[in-house]
């Protein structure tokens, strides 16, 4: 996006960015619902529907700009009682979640579109204090607790 007005299409940074990712079933179902909603919007708009070919479009089919994407994301975060975070930070949150749930490093890197696992671990996997709870509980065993 440039100046929150224009969508700029460009190639991925590397060939690792050219990848196919499986969709989690929850995401697949949400996209099907979204597609049905867009079909209704297309019918309602008639000839006025632009059909830009993007997934995230307004009710007339025009691609959302950066500000519109942020506002839609914030609306969803607010509606689900989630803390507002920058969209860019969501990527790190998702990769941290996957790492904390046992996804191997090489698969994290592939999911992120990185050729080097170190890039993914250094810049995107960001554990916080809550993520350390299992380690704290393990220390309890050392002290003779369990």
């Amino acid at each position: 996006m440039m100046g929150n007005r224009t969508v700029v299409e460009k190639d991925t940074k590397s060939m690792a960015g050219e990848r196919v990712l499986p969709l989690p079933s929850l995401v697949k179902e949400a996209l099907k619902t979204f597609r049905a909603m867009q079909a209704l919007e297309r019918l309602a708009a008639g000839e006025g529907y632009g059909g830009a070919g993007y997934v995230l479009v307004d009710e007339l089919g025009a691609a959302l700009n950066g500000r519109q994407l942020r506002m839609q994301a914030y609306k969803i975060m607010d509606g689900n009682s989630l803390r507002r975070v920058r969209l860019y930070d969501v990527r790190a949150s998702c990769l941290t979640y996957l790492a904390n749930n046992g996804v191997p490093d090489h698969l994290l890197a592939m999911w992120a579109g990185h050729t080097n696992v170190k890039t993914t671990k250094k810049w995107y996997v960001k554990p916080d204090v809550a993520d350390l709870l299992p380690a704290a509980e393990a220390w309890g065993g050392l002290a003779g607790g369990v």
Side-chain angles (χ1 to χ4, degrees), residues 7 13 28 44 61 69 87 89 97 109 112-113 140:
V7 176
K13 292 180 185 178
K28 187 181 282 187
L69 284 170
L87 292 180
D89 294 332
Y97 175 83

Side-chain angles (χ1 to χ4, degrees), residues 16 19 21 95 98-99 102-121 125:
R19 64 202 185 283
L21 299 172
L95 290 167
L98 293 175
V103 174
D105 291 349
H106 70 285
L107 296 179
L108 286 175
M110 188 174 181
W111 191 269
H114 297 147
T115 54
N116 188 330
V117 171
K118 290 179 182 179
T119 300
T120 309
K121 299 288 278 189
V125 177

Side-chain angles (χ1 to χ4, degrees), residues 39-89:
L40 293 174
E41 290 173 345
R42 180 179 285 120
L43 281 174
E47 295 288 323
Y49 193 84
Y54 294 97
V55 174
L56 300 175
V57 296
D58 66 14
E59 63 278 354
L60 295 177
L64 298 179
N65 64 39
R67 183 189 55 76
Q68 291 168 321
L69 284 170
R70 274 191 307 280
M71 297 314 295
Q72 288 294 325
Y74 290 158
K75 188 186 299 184
I76 291 168
M77 290 174 203
D78 293 345
N80 288 285
S81 301
L82 298 171
R83 178 174 55 96
R84 280 190 180 191
V85 296
R86 295 179 309 163
L87 292 180
Y88 184 80
D89 294 332

Side-chain angles (χ1 to χ4, degrees), residues 123-139:
W123 297 107
Y124 293 96
V125 177
K126 308 279 186 190
D128 64 17
V129 175
D131 297 323
L132 298 175
L133 187 56
E137 290 172 355
W139 279 113

Side-chain angles (χ1 to χ4, degrees), residues 3-66:
N4 287 326
R5 289 177 298 229
T6 307
V7 176
V8 177
E9 292 185 32
K10 58 184 181 176
D11 288 333
T12 56
K13 292 180 185 178
S14 71
M15 287 307 297
E18 299 283 336
R19 64 202 185 283
V20 175
L21 299 172
L23 287 177
S25 57
L26 179 70
V27 174
K28 187 181 282 187
E29 292 306 312
L31 286 172
K32 285 180 183 178
T33 300
F34 193 60
R35 180 188 286 171
M37 183 181 76
Q38 284 179 328
L40 293 174
E41 290 173 345
R42 180 179 285 120
L43 281 174
E47 295 288 323
Y49 193 84
Y54 294 97
V55 174
L56 300 175
V57 296
D58 66 14
E59 63 278 354
L60 295 177
L64 298 179
N65 64 39

